[in-house]
Amino acid sequence: MCRARALARYDNRTDLPRQLQWDHPPQRSGHAAVYNEDYGVMMVYGGRGPKREEPSRDSTTFEFDVKWDFWQFSVHNCINNCSNHGFCAYGFCTCEDGYYGYDCSNTSCPGDYCYYDEYTHEQVCQHCCSAGYNHTDEDVYVDNADVRKLPCSADEPGRSQGICDGFGTCQCAPPFLGDDCSAKDCLHDCSFNGYCSVEYPVSRCVCNPTYFGEYCEKIECLNNCSYPNGVCNYTEGQCYCNYLYNPYNNEARWATSWDNPEVRWEGEDCSYATAYAAAARSAALQGANGGALALSLLAAAALITGAGRPGGGDGGDDDDDDEETEEGEEEEEEEEEEESGPNRRRKI
């Protein structure tokens, strides 16, 4: 009689396997049995055995008693009639493809591989299994055209990456996913900067615009910082512009002033350069040149002013004025000579 197919045993034992449980003869020795071939029935009775079911051990003797129960064992009857998903032989179910379990009540999952031990008639299964590629902690994306997934078998035992829930669905162990848990998930959820393209054997990240890297952890800079004008900080996505150099000496950094001894490329993408210019003139030279320029301007202004006076021009009055001016200048010169000479003469 079937008991339960739950995670916990009906008897709350934790030292025994958690599996499909049913009423059966307890462990014993020295018992008697009678088999009726016509009906395929064996009768078991008597003997001695542990007072309760115990796990198999070869180093411990358990307390035992004499058994008084009587059991009928039908060779051609199996538990739950193999759930109509298998055939019964000597009390063991041999399940049809797509089912597994003691009573063939579980639905197989993708990647399941089962076989029966020919001596114990025990069913041995490997669930959610795949072969053809051995996953490691250092897995990176590989072109799936170069890797072929194989079903698990006796020749290709493969590896199980999950468990079957008995209803046809694999419950995968992280970081594996897929129907048969054969694909490895993307690292770090693609840094939430893209989506994961599930591929066998290793998935890959498809990054959003401006992001790149194995798991979209890096940020592109604008125009790649106009390289080699600048270098991109992929963590921040910002450009760090390089220095500008003197166009006449490419080993000397360009300085525009004492306050700004070093000049860099400018702009968000390091594409702008400050225009090169000669050094400024000294203050003394600027003062001298400034005075000469002022005198030149004054002379020019005087000429323009004289040319523009009323009555100016080529008339005769101007000539007479000029002659009188010259005669007056000659008389002044003669008087100065007489006063400055060694023999001064007195005027009478």
Side-chain angles (χ1 to χ4, degrees):
M1 181 174 64
C2 180
R3 285 291 188 186
R5 189 158 56 95
L7 292 178
R9 292 175 58 91
Y10 72 93
D11 54 8
N12 296 322
R13 297 282 296 277
T14 59
D15 57 337
L16 295 176
R18 293 182 297 180
Q19 59 189 19
L20 190 65
Q21 301 164 58
W22 63 92
D23 289 338
H24 59 87
Q27 301 155 312
R28 65 184 63 200
S29 63
H31 55 280
V34 176
Y35 175 66
N36 188 313
E37 187 174 358
D38 295 336
Y39 294 96
V41 174
M42 182 172 61
M43 312 300 292
V44 178
Y45 57 93
R48 296 180 301 174
K51 289 186 176 182
R52 66 172 193 169
E53 185 179 5
E54 300 289 352
S56 178
R57 296 179 184 173
D58 56 6
S59 59
T60 304
T61 300
F62 299 101
E63 185 179 359
F64 68 93
D65 58 4
V66 176
K67 303 299 179 183
W68 53 268
D69 50 354
F70 187 91
W71 292 84
Q72 175 182 304
F73 178 65
S74 298
V75 176
H76 302 296
N77 290 338
C78 289
I79 183 173
N80 290 340
N81 196 29
C82 300
S83 304
N84 296 322
H85 295 312
F87 64 92
C88 180
Y90 299 102
F92 293 95
C93 289
T94 301
C95 303
E96 299 171 353
D97 290 340
Y99 298 93
Y100 72 96
Y102 286 103
D103 60 349
C104 305
S105 61
N106 297 310
T107 303
S108 297
C109 291
D112 280 8
Y113 163 64
C114 297
Y115 67 93
Y116 287 90
D117 188 289
E118 61 179 332
Y119 299 107
T120 64
H121 299 283
E122 180 183 5
Q123 185 186 40
V124 180
C125 289
Q126 193 167 6
H127 303 290
C128 307
C129 177
S130 63
Y133 183 87
N134 294 323
H135 290 281
T136 66
D137 292 338
E138 289 75 29
D139 280 339
V140 294
Y141 173 76
V142 294
D143 189 350
N144 55 16
D146 299 331
V147 180
R148 182 181 178 185
K149 181 166 62 174
L150 302 175
C152 294
S153 63
D155 297 329
E156 295 286 347
R159 184 177 178 182
S160 177
Q161 309 288 3
I163 59 174
C164 183
D165 63 1
F167 298 97
T169 303
C170 286
Q171 305 296 325
C172 302
F176 296 95
L177 38 74
D179 292 340
D180 58 355
C181 304
S182 60
K184 198 169 185 179
D185 197 4
C186 295
L187 291 174
H188 309 298
D189 291 325
C190 298
S191 304
F192 300 100
N193 296 322
Y195 68 90
C196 184
S197 175
V198 179
E199 302 177 24
Y200 175 83
V202 181
S203 303
R204 60 175 170 170
C205 288
V206 179
C207 303
N208 295 332
T210 72
Y211 292 94
F212 71 102
E214 184 180 358
Y215 44 91
C216 306
E217 76 280 14
K218 299 179 181 179
I219 309 174
E220 294 179 348
C221 291
L222 180 63
N223 297 331
N224 196 28
C225 301
S226 304
Y227 187 84
N229 296 352
V231 178
C232 181
N233 182 331
Y234 295 121
T235 302
E236 302 174 356
Q238 295 182 349
C239 290
Y240 286 85
C241 300
N242 292 328
Y243 293 102
L244 281 170
Y245 286 83
N246 190 317
Y248 303 107
N249 182 1
N250 58 12
E251 295 181 355
R253 291 178 181 175
W254 180 13
T256 58
S257 67
W258 293 110
D259 296 332
N260 187 18
E262 295 176 333
V263 181
R264 296 176 181 266
W265 290 89
E266 298 177 356
E268 187 178 355
D269 60 349
C270 303
S271 60
Y272 297 99
T274 302
Y276 182 80
R281 295 185 177 183
S282 65
L285 184 60
Q286 286 181 353
N289 290 341
L293 179 60
L295 293 175
S296 300
L297 292 175
L298 290 173
L303 290 174
I304 294 172
T305 304
R309 285 185 300 176
D314 296 332
D317 294 341
D318 290 341
D319 294 338
D320 295 339
D321 293 340
D322 292 340
E323 291 177 358
E324 293 177 357
T325 302
E326 290 177 358
E327 290 177 357
E329 290 177 354
E330 291 177 357
E331 291 178 358
E332 291 178 358
E333 290 177 357
E334 290 177 356
E335 292 178 356
E336 290 177 357
E337 289 178 357
E338 291 177 354
E339 293 178 355
S340 59
N343 298 320
R344 297 180 180 176
R345 291 179 298 176
R346 301 176 71 182
K347 291 183 181 181
I348 300 174

